[in-house]
Amino acid sequence: MSDVRHVLVLPDRDAAEEVARELGERFGVEEEPRLVREALAGEDDAEDAQWLVVLRDEEERLDAAELDAFVQEWDGWREEP
């Protein structure tokens, strides 16, 4: 079993929380994704932060192209590992 992770980058916390909820419904993700706030380099303002949704996919059953299209609905993107 490999340690495959997907990192979805979202513009704000609301979008990240909604994506985390939708992952279960749309993709059948059972494990709760982890939400992580990431300040942009050199920025101290809380407004200038991105939110990451990190989910494990050890069985490699999530399709990268489908995740790309999914996260774009919230103006986000999937980081390549």
Side-chain angles (χ1 to χ4, degrees):
M1 196 181 294
S2 59
D3 184 26
V4 175
R5 293 180 191 269
H6 296 282
V7 178
L8 310 178
V9 183
L10 285 304
D12 57 52
R13 182 180 188 144
D14 289 342
E17 289 175 345
E18 194 170 337
V19 163
R21 278 192 304 274
E22 286 284 324
L23 280 166
E25 292 177 25
R26 208 176 296 186
F27 294 96
V29 172
E30 294 177 9
E31 182 178 327
E32 186 74 27
R34 208 165 43 104
L35 299 182
V36 180
R37 180 183 176 274
E38 180 179 81
L40 300 178
E43 298 293 336
D44 293 326
D45 188 354
E47 295 297 314
D48 294 322
Q50 296 172 324
W51 283 81
L52 308 179
V53 176
V54 181
L55 62 145
R56 293 195 333 227
D57 184 24
E58 281 97 358
E59 295 172 8
E60 298 184 45
R61 59 181 203 82
L62 298 173
D63 181 75
E66 288 180 21
L67 284 174
D68 287 338
F70 169 72
V71 75
Q72 286 174 7
E73 295 175 27
W74 287 272
D75 297 323
W77 66 92
R78 185 183 56 84
E79 283 288 313
E80 289 291 337

